[in-house]
Structures are given as structure tokens and as C-alpha cells.
Amino acid sequence: RRKGEQASAPPPLLPFWHLTSRLAFRRGEAAALRWASVDLENATVSISATRGRLGSAHIEGKTKTKKPR
């Protein structure tokens, strides 16, 4: 940063990208993540679904391993 410049705000999705990359989410698991899957009090995230595309349709289903992690 140059002298006199203000710091820019971090991108709004930065926490999401940080979380999904640090926990090694698959792309479909990250796309299916919902706030209901996040427990801030216990600092846990439940991965129980995956989301993808089949042609032009968006589909959601179970994870690859068929069990939540």
C-alpha cells in the first residue's frame, strides 16, 4: 500500500474461500453448504450434501462417501 492510500475491504467471499480451502471441501460440497450446516458455538461444519449441474439443471444429492463428515 502506498502512503496515504486507504486499505481496501477484503472480498466478501474471502471467509468462504478460506474455510473451504482449509478444510479441503470438494467443489460440490462447497456449493451445497448452508448456514444450517455451520455451528459457530462448537466451531464445526457438517458436510452432508453436494450440488452440481446435469446439463442445464442444478441437482443436489448426498456426498460421494454417502456419510456426513
Side-chain angles (χ1 to χ4, degrees), residues 11-25 27 30-31:
L13 290 178
L14 185 63
F16 173 77
W17 294 122
H18 181 73
L19 174 73
T20 58
S21 65
R22 299 277 293 176
L23 296 178
F25 281 42
R27 182 178 15 187

Side-chain angles (χ1 to χ4, degrees), residues 49-61:
T50 186
R51 185 173 172 89
R53 287 178 54 171
L54 184 59
S56 62
H58 292 274
I59 57 171
E60 194 163 314

Side-chain angles (χ1 to χ4, degrees), residues 45-67:
V45 176
S46 299
I47 303 168
S48 57
T50 186
R51 185 173 172 89
R53 287 178 54 171
L54 184 59
S56 62
H58 292 274
I59 57 171
E60 194 163 314
K62 300 276 185 203
T63 58
K64 224 176 184 180
T65 59
K66 305 289 187 236
K67 57 184 178 181

Side-chain angles (χ1 to χ4, degrees), residues 20-43:
T20 58
S21 65
R22 299 277 293 176
L23 296 178
F25 281 42
R26 294 180 177 105
R27 182 178 15 187
E29 293 170 343
L33 189 62
R34 303 287 181 259
W35 275 113
S37 303
V38 179
D39 182 351
L40 296 175
E41 285 185 19
N42 295 310

